[in-house]
Amino acid sequence: MTALIDVQNLTLKFRTDEGLITAVDNVSFSLNKGEVMGLVGESGSGKSVTAKALMHLNAKNAVYSPESRITLHTDKGPVDVLSLKTHRELNIVRGGAVSMIFQEPMASFAPAITIGKQMVEQLQLHGDYSNEKAKRWSIEMLDRVGISDAAKRFDQYAFELSGGMRQRAMIAMALSTQPKLLIADEPTTALDVTIQAQVIDLMKDLVAEFHMGIVFITHDLGVVAQTADKVNVMYLGRMIEEGPVREVIRNPKHPYTQGLLAALPKLDDLDSPLTPVPGDIPSPLERPTGCVFHTRCSKVVGDVCKAVEPTERRIDATHKVSCHIYEEVPA
Amino acid sequence: MSDVLIRAKGLSVGFPIGGGLFNKQILKAVDNVSLDIEKGSFFGLVGESGSGKTTLGRALLKAAPITAGGAHYSDGEVDYDLEKITKDQLRDYRKRAQLIFQDPYAALSPRMTVRDIIAEPLEVMKLTKSRQETDARVREIAAKCRLNLEHLRRFPHAFSGGQRQRISIARALVSAPKFIVADESVAALDVSIQADVLNLLKQIQSDMGLTFLFISHDLSVVAHTCDHVAVMYLGRLVETAPTRKLFAAPRHPYTKALFSAIPSLDPDDRGSAQKLKGEIPSPTNQPSGCKFHTRCPFAIDHCKQVEPKLESDATGHDVACHRWKELMAPQAA
């Protein structure tokens, strides 16, 4: 397994009128080639901001801490993503080595330009493509993601396609530059279950074929169970649990992960009542002290949760959790 | 037998589309739907986008034009034929039937306080006589929806998605309705909050004796909350049954496909699901015969020519499929 991207001590704050808001707090993780990582958490947990940081794509008011490091391993050697400044440098990462698929495909295509023209434009930005060659490759990509009549679709506008079709076109466009890393931000959330199942299948085939790494952002643990190799759970900007998908789903350690799983309506057990995680995610302006989850946690073990931020504990070689209820074992 | 609150008979909703005087087309969003919603039930309506579930919900609220057939509302106090309803009756019906929307961010005016948002239906419908009465009523409903007095003074932007949805629910409940259409009311919420809102809806239903039409695309949510489910496809009802029966033994191939498309929580159970090919056809260009035959793995020639009728059985499990009996047989063996 070769490393693809390595994130160390990522801390990201946004400068606002109300002061500095912490969006991501000291997060570290890494991803290998051909690996799918599920990034899970509720709205406001910082998962999209983390993913955007991988492309240095956050707004101008984002402040990265000096310790933050994101290293992307490309064919031409490692790239320090956060040190890139000019557009020319950033283009190596954005759309080149890293592509992104968004939740709402209608909002991601320009409405007044044909799908084909947009695909050709980005190919020519990132590679040496003649018009003819770019068109041929784009149609081939559309065909590859299961769009029937690809040559006709090439000349159509986004509004002429159905939701599922648009998301496929989005995937075709993201993959046409043959990225090493694909970031998929809730790519199936706006789709019907039947279409979601098709898109998930498609993405699995593409990982196998192109051997790229995927960061799959979702709040749906069922989708994670179906796609990911490993899972990282975020809450209020902290990475609170990470491990292989089987471990995290069958044997969750953090009370928040346990709560998320308990809140899911399960088809094979209709009699058990639904158990919500109590309360709401706190506003980032009022970050709790100590463990960020203690305001909603049912397993608080005393003042230590309110006062001390839990360090990462290892359950085993790959499964890590940040919670005071587990013994600290020196690594 | 309990009473029926809403009875739809052959209900169709069509919208004219296309410009010309002579080539005017009708888009049939809901096509010949008959169903009974019993008083005090939590009735689920599922299907993909474009299946007509929202339009059906709106037709039952008399907020979409009924082009054929009709629907009856009777709650013991009044009895309305929704097709021939008069203006005065409609004003009264608005009080009795309410809607909760999907997106709690779009449904609440950012320039009104929570108190004003909840009080607005009372003022518009002139249900209270004084400001004191209005305030008392707002406070009572807000407490039921777990909003406190402090919340009432604030504006919606200060609230999270779950809290906003509770405000929307309070607004729908303030006119003391009997019938509520909840259109994808938890779809925009995080799972951790979704369970909380579902529990609240269930509690309100039993406390206030309400009847819910719960529109959702999420079958696992429907399974947990509803006691009766109807499945729609391209404007048609394809299957309807008590929840337990439907989930234990779905009969229509479309219902089965919807079930198997739900992502399993078991990481070792990948790709075992039977996947549906293609997408729902456009309602302007509907297939002949059974509407589902273009995507159905079991379609035969007969399905392409003759449209199946909704067959009722004694247990209340109805299905519209030519082949459901033979398709169920091997499973039983």
Side-chain angles (χ1 to χ4, degrees):
Chain A
M1 283 278 203
T2 36
L4 178 58
I5 194 152
D6 192 25
V7 176
Q8 288 300 329
N9 311 102
L10 178 68
T11 299
L12 170 52
K13 297 180 179 180
F14 285 106
R15 208 180 291 120
T16 70
D17 294 343
E18 283 142 294
L20 277 177
I21 287 179
T22 306
V24 180
D25 185 11
N26 202 9
V27 161
S28 302
F29 63 90
S30 65
L31 186 71
N32 292 325
K33 273 181 192 154
E35 216 175 22
V36 181
M37 174 182 130
L39 192 54
V40 183
E42 57 197 295
S43 348
S45 61
K47 48 195 199 307
S48 290
V49 175
T50 304
K52 281 185 185 164
L54 301 182
M55 296 170 86
H56 206 338
L57 198 63
N58 281 306
K60 285 240 163 52
N61 61 347
V63 185
Y64 293 88
S65 75
E67 296 82 39
S68 304
R69 271 290 164 280
I70 298 178
T71 315
L72 180 69
H73 298 275
T74 67
D75 297 339
K76 296 184 188 101
V79 176
D80 182 0
V81 176
L82 295 178
S83 71
L84 303 177
K85 293 217 167 58
T86 64
H87 272 291
R88 183 188 293 265
E89 287 174 340
L90 281 165
N91 273 348
I92 304 169
V93 178
R94 293 181 187 165
V98 187
S99 273
M100 189 155 180
I101 306 174
F102 297 91
Q103 174 172 4
E104 193 24 90
M106 192 61 208
S108 312
F109 278 111
I113 304 172
T114 59
I115 304 257
K117 204 167 171 208
Q118 296 181 52
M119 291 185 76
V120 167
E121 185 189 0
Q122 69 133 13
L123 279 174
Q124 291 180 334
L125 252 171
H126 292 290
D128 185 20
Y129 282 91
S130 67
N131 286 342
E132 205 34 48
K133 194 177 155 204
K135 181 173 177 177
R136 225 181 315 122
W137 178 237
S138 300
I139 293 177
E140 197 186 319
M141 280 311 297
L142 288 174
D143 194 55
R144 188 88 63 88
V145 298
I147 291 182
S148 57
D149 223 348
K152 188 180 139 211
R153 303 287 180 201
F154 182 83
D155 288 319
Q156 286 187 319
Y157 296 91
F159 71 85
E160 293 178 87
L161 307 184
S162 66
M165 201 75 97
R166 253 180 243 142
Q167 198 56 283
R168 282 166 195 268
M170 185 84 221
I171 293 172
M173 183 160 152
L175 296 187
S176 65
T177 55
Q178 291 168 302
K180 298 277 172 285
L181 173 68
L182 180 70
I183 301 169
D185 191 352
E186 305 259 9
T188 61
T189 307
L191 305 175
D192 281 310
V193 273
T194 50
I195 309 298
Q196 168 174 288
Q198 295 172 2
V199 171
I200 286 176
D201 268 8
L202 171 67
M203 294 190 57
K204 275 191 235 167
D205 290 348
L206 294 170
V207 180
E209 193 182 330
F210 293 96
H211 205 64
M212 59 190 167
I214 298 191
V215 176
F216 202 113
I217 303 176
T218 180
H219 66 273
D220 188 332
L221 286 159
V223 172
V224 166
Q226 289 294 305
T227 52
D229 299 312
K230 58 180 196 178
V231 185
N232 289 44
V233 185
M234 286 189 80
Y235 184 81
L236 263 188
R238 297 278 300 171
M239 201 67 90
I240 53 155
E241 180 160 8
E242 70 169 283
V245 64
R246 284 180 188 79
E247 268 294 300
V248 175
I249 291 204
R250 295 211 183 116
N251 192 13
K253 290 295 179 197
H254 198 283
Y256 177 62
T257 319
Q258 291 168 352
L260 276 184
L261 281 159
L264 275 182
K266 283 164 211 71
L267 276 179
D268 45 13
D269 183 12
L270 294 183
D271 292 314
S272 63
L274 296 174
T275 32
V277 180
D280 283 305
I281 194 163
S283 150
L285 284 170
E286 299 154 13
R287 271 178 87 77
T289 55
C291 171
V292 284
F293 187 59
H294 85 256
T295 53
R296 296 171 74 187
C297 186
S298 55
K299 294 186 178 157
V300 174
V301 285
D303 288 341
V304 63
C305 291
K306 281 173 206 157
V308 185
E309 197 165 300
T311 51
E312 194 173 84
R313 288 123 218 258
R314 283 176 181 272
I315 303 298
D316 55 43
T318 48
H319 194 172
K320 299 174 206 159
V321 62
S322 298
C323 179
H324 286 298
I325 56 180
Y326 301 99
E327 295 261 337
E328 253 175 299
V329 182
Chain B
M1 279 307 276
S2 49
D3 304 336
V4 173
L5 183 81
I6 296 251
R7 166 165 292 163
K9 259 211 133 91
L11 182 75
S12 297
V13 180
F15 299 100
I17 50 164
L21 193 59
F22 301 108
N23 59 1
K24 200 161 253 174
Q25 265 185 304
I26 298 286
L27 183 158
K28 273 197 172 175
V30 176
D31 193 1
N32 199 9
V33 166
S34 301
L35 55 82
D36 287 351
I37 300 176
E38 280 172 13
K39 206 175 279 178
S41 68
F42 216 103
F43 195 99
L45 194 56
V46 296
E48 291 170 271
S49 12
S51 60
K53 46 194 200 306
T54 294
T55 312
L56 177 60
R58 292 193 174 218
L60 296 179
L61 291 172
K62 189 71 187 167
I66 298 173
T67 43
H72 240 90
Y73 169 90
S74 90
D75 64 3
E77 293 167 17
V78 295
D79 206 328
Y80 294 141
D81 179 346
L82 294 188
E83 214 198 344
K84 302 188 194 92
I85 199 164
T86 64
K87 250 189 162 165
D88 284 342
Q89 286 178 333
L90 185 58
R91 204 166 294 140
D92 181 60
Y93 187 55
R94 291 276 176 262
K95 209 165 59 187
R96 293 169 191 273
Q98 282 283 349
L99 178 64
I100 303 172
F101 293 95
Q102 169 171 6
D103 185 353
Y105 289 84
L108 305 176
S109 165
R111 302 177 61 167
M112 290 166 81
T113 61
V114 170
R115 183 257 169 213
D116 289 345
I117 287 171
I118 300 176
E120 198 182 24
L122 294 175
E123 283 154 6
V124 171
M125 295 193 261
K126 300 193 178 66
L127 296 176
T128 46
K129 290 180 187 67
S130 64
R131 202 183 153 87
Q132 282 76 14
E133 200 185 334
T134 308
D135 278 338
R137 177 84 188 129
V138 168
R139 275 200 291 271
E140 181 196 339
I141 287 295
K144 270 212 175 76
C145 298
R146 282 187 276 117
L147 297 162
N148 61 36
L149 288 177
E150 176 57 31
H151 289 147
L152 292 178
R153 280 198 289 274
R154 292 198 227 159
F155 289 90
H157 72 85
F159 295 91
S160 66
Q163 287 170 321
R164 279 173 199 237
Q165 200 55 287
R166 294 212 295 271
I167 299 170
S168 308
I169 294 169
R171 179 183 162 98
L173 291 178
V174 77
S175 67
K178 301 270 194 294
F179 176 51
I180 293 206
V181 176
D183 192 352
E184 298 277 12
S185 296
V186 296
L189 305 177
D190 282 306
V191 271
S192 57
I193 305 300
Q194 179 179 298
D196 182 49
V197 172
L198 287 173
N199 287 344
L200 175 67
L201 287 176
K202 285 295 267 187
Q203 166 140 35
I204 285 166
Q205 185 226 14
S206 60
D207 286 358
M208 300 172 71
L210 298 177
T211 307
F212 269 86
L213 177 65
F214 187 83
I215 300 173
S216 178
H217 69 278
D218 190 334
L219 286 153
S220 38
V221 168
V222 166
H224 268 267
T225 45
C226 300
D227 34 52
H228 208 95
V229 184
V231 184
M232 281 186 86
Y233 187 78
L234 219 54
R236 298 292 177 118
L237 224 51
V238 296
E239 184 162 7
T240 159
T243 307
R244 295 294 163 119
K245 277 213 178 77
L246 188 77
F247 282 81
R251 289 175 181 173
H252 201 284
Y254 179 58
T255 315
K256 288 182 201 168
L258 278 183
F259 285 172
S260 79
I262 302 171
S264 157
L265 251 186
D266 181 359
D268 288 321
D269 175 27
R270 287 188 181 178
S272 63
Q274 159 216 349
K275 301 268 160 52
L276 208 53
K277 292 213 169 53
E279 293 171 26
I280 195 164
S282 154
T284 54
N285 187 16
Q286 298 200 0
S288 61
C290 173
K291 305 284 180 226
F292 186 57
H293 86 250
T294 54
R295 295 169 81 190
C296 182
F298 310 107
I300 50 173
D301 276 347
H302 186 58
C303 302
K304 292 176 191 159
Q305 286 143 18
V306 183
E307 173 149 18
K309 284 201 178 65
L310 197 65
E311 283 175 45
S312 307
D313 76 359
T315 63
H317 192 155
D318 306 346
V319 60
C321 175
H322 292 304
R323 300 189 66 195
W324 76 267
K325 273 188 189 140
E326 47 173 316
L327 292 176
M328 293 297 282
Q331 254 185 18

